[in-house]
Amino acid sequence: MTVKLSSANLANLPAKVAGPKYDRSKLKAGIVHFGVGNFHRSHQAVYLDDLFNSGVGQDWALVGAGVFEGEKIGRGKLQEQDWLTTVVEQDDGHMSARVTGAMIDFLMPGDAAGIIDRLADPAIKIVSLTITEGGYFIDPASGKFNPAHPDIVADAQAGATPKTVFGIILAGLVRRRDDGIVPFTVMSCDNIPHNGHVTSDGVIGLARLIDEDLANWVNDHVAFPNGMVDRITPATSDRERGILARDFGVEDAWPVFCEPFKQWVLEDHFTAGRPPLEKVGVQFVKDVSPYELMKIRILNGGHATIAYPAGLMDIHFVHEAMQEPLVRGFLDKLEHDEIIPTVPPVPDTVLEDYYQLIEKRFSNPKIGDTIRRLCLDGSNRQPKFIIPTIADRLKAGKGVAGLALESALWCRYCFGTTDSGAVIEPNDPSWERLQATARAAKDAPAAWLAMEDIYGDVGRATTFVEAFGSALNLLWANGARATLTRYVAGKL
């Protein structure tokens, strides 16, 4: 027998499934969150659930929000179970399940008027976001906000009903300004460098298209703290739903499976107060940059490193990639030779210990993270996780053979077939463009690097161009396995 997840059934949860220790009816909303996906529910929502379980901060409950039609599906699943989520932590030798109750409402995605009304409520003191790397309207080559994006231009028109996250947030801030209410803090929880600054650039950039005085007001009165977030959280499938029902006796339409490890480093910069999250392990610091750079380069850059060779070798799960000596060897050599040397010292952290932890986390056999997920959206991820490292290496006059091979593997993957000839289904918002460019690059490697919006100056650097061309030619001539063998042996 299984227990269907709902508020009414919380008292009937199986003994080995923990539930909220607080009275959810007494929670009060304090945070509106855009982008209610798996990562948010394994990370921010868990920290808040921990806080509420400790008996404090219960006026900081979550209200979900979104702007896309597709988000209504997730909302519907959560509504049927009273906004509850089962979070399952897994690694080798450990598996536990808990039901979290930090979310108390989920506004209808796309209902701009309803969301703006909620943002105008003085009780809402933080608006947070997990809208993915591609949701910030960033020009990949410059790394800056793109005010010419059609969706932004549309939101800037007089009398327009906003349809972007930034448009809705800005409308909420305008309402609070006009009503004399302290503006909420805008807190990005996305995995992008300087995420607070990036979010600020988006909101202020849109405001500047509308009214320069409004842009100045946002700049002067609204806080956008930078933060570093970390927890490996794969997508939910029938596999996860089945494990939860079979091993724990809970029926949840949208559970979250994740690793036990989690980390959140956050700048203590808020306009209208914040929950005391330091009580549950959040690190508040003056400058999050060192932690952020370490994570983005070593972890996210590491994910990119193993993703594409594993994809070309038809490897399905991440832990299986780490069991392949060539993939693991590629990761270890590239990290130590080229990536870690670009990471400055981090307070209270030994970079080698951090790398060893990352390697262990990637090897977790229970998490079920897929290579396809790591390969997703390279056109947005490579300019954040890999190309800046290449630029730093070139600037320092250092070698880039391994990083050039990583780029060549991405290019080869985007051709659309594995080394065995299996078809790779579209796996990027710009897949058609990437596939066409990768096919041109088979005979003319420089065509790939000519994607100015992705590579910028790096794509014109002779050292990198030559190393990339050599690596791509080897991949086409000999395949990923033989090319990695040469690289790991120091013969590339």
Side-chain angles (χ1 to χ4, degrees), residues 111-442:
D111 177 15
I115 298 171
I116 292 165
D117 282 345
R118 198 60 173 262
L119 297 184
D121 180 351
I124 300 301
K125 297 181 172 69
I126 294 174
V127 173
S128 54
L129 307 94
T130 46
I131 56 174
T132 77
E133 298 91 347
Y136 287 82
F137 303 97
I138 302 167
D139 174 68
S142 69
K144 298 186 182 302
F145 174 67
N146 176 16
H149 191 285
D151 292 350
I152 294 296
V153 172
D155 271 7
Q157 301 307 304
T161 298
K163 291 187 168 56
T164 69
V165 170
F166 294 156
I168 291 173
I169 287 174
L170 185 61
L173 287 169
V174 169
R175 282 272 294 275
R176 290 174 82 110
R177 181 192 67 173
D178 294 347
D179 293 344
I181 302 168
V182 174
F184 46 73
T185 295
V186 183
M187 181 177 72
S188 172
C189 300
D190 271 304
N191 188 36
I192 51 178
H194 316 298
N195 56 11
H197 295 322
V198 169
T199 310
S200 170
D201 287 347
V203 177
I204 294 173
L206 174 57
R208 187 158 284 120
L209 295 177
I210 298 169
D211 176 23
E212 191 69 30
D213 288 341
L214 174 60
N216 292 335
W217 178 84
V218 174
N219 184 68
D220 293 343
H221 293 90
V222 182
F224 296 86
N226 291 301
M228 183 268 264
V229 297
D230 192 6
R231 190 172 218 184
I232 295 173
T233 310
T236 302
S237 68
D238 287 341
R239 171 186 180 272
E240 285 72 35
R241 281 182 281 269
I243 291 171
L244 180 62
R246 184 188 71 237
D247 294 356
F248 291 97
V250 174
E251 185 181 338
D252 184 334
W254 197 18
V256 174
F257 279 54
C258 56
E259 62 176 339
F261 178 89
K262 66 181 186 299
Q263 186 177 19
W264 194 0
V265 184
L266 190 56
E267 290 173 357
D268 200 354
H269 178 43
F270 294 79
T271 48
R274 62 166 177 81
L277 289 165
E278 66 274 11
K279 295 180 181 296
V280 289
V282 177
Q283 298 167 256
F284 284 96
V285 298
K286 288 185 177 179
D287 181 13
V288 78
S289 298
Y291 302 90
E292 180 182 74
L293 188 66
M294 172 184 73
K295 190 255 179 173
I296 282 171
R297 294 204 172 179
I298 298 176
L299 186 146
N300 298 110
H303 264 160
T305 298
I306 66 175
Y308 299 109
L312 292 172
M313 293 180 190
D314 302 292
I315 297 173
H316 184 72
F317 287 113
V318 175
H319 71 272
E320 293 172 338
M322 293 298 288
Q323 291 166 359
E324 164 54 61
L326 287 173
V327 175
R328 195 182 191 105
F330 180 41
L331 173 69
D332 187 76
K333 181 172 173 59
L334 178 53
E335 289 273 13
H336 286 103
D337 288 1
E338 297 179 29
I339 295 176
I340 295 174
T342 72
V343 179
V346 179
D348 304 315
T349 304
V350 177
L351 293 180
E352 179 59 26
D353 291 348
Y354 182 78
Y355 169 72
Q356 294 297 331
L357 174 63
I358 296 305
E359 192 178 62
K360 180 181 178 183
R361 291 167 63 196
F362 288 1
S363 303
N364 183 346
K366 296 290 187 179
I367 197 64
D369 202 7
T370 64
I371 289 298
R372 182 170 173 83
R373 185 187 79 87
L374 300 194
C375 292
L376 173 70
D377 203 13
S379 62
N380 278 302
R381 292 179 173 180
Q382 291 279 316
K384 299 174 180 66
F385 304 152
I386 291 291
I387 293 170
T389 307
I390 299 171
D392 281 358
R393 295 283 296 177
L394 293 171
K395 186 176 180 181
K398 303 293 186 181
V400 290
L403 290 162
L405 176 55
E406 189 281 338
S407 268
L409 286 158
W410 176 42
C411 173
R412 170 66 185 85
Y413 177 89
C414 290
F415 186 87
T417 59
T418 70
D419 277 351
S420 72
V423 173
I424 298 171
E425 296 298 328
N427 202 20
D428 192 288
S430 301
W431 186 256
E432 288 185 12
R433 175 204 182 193
L434 294 177
Q435 189 171 46
T437 308
R439 289 178 174 179
K442 182 179 181 181

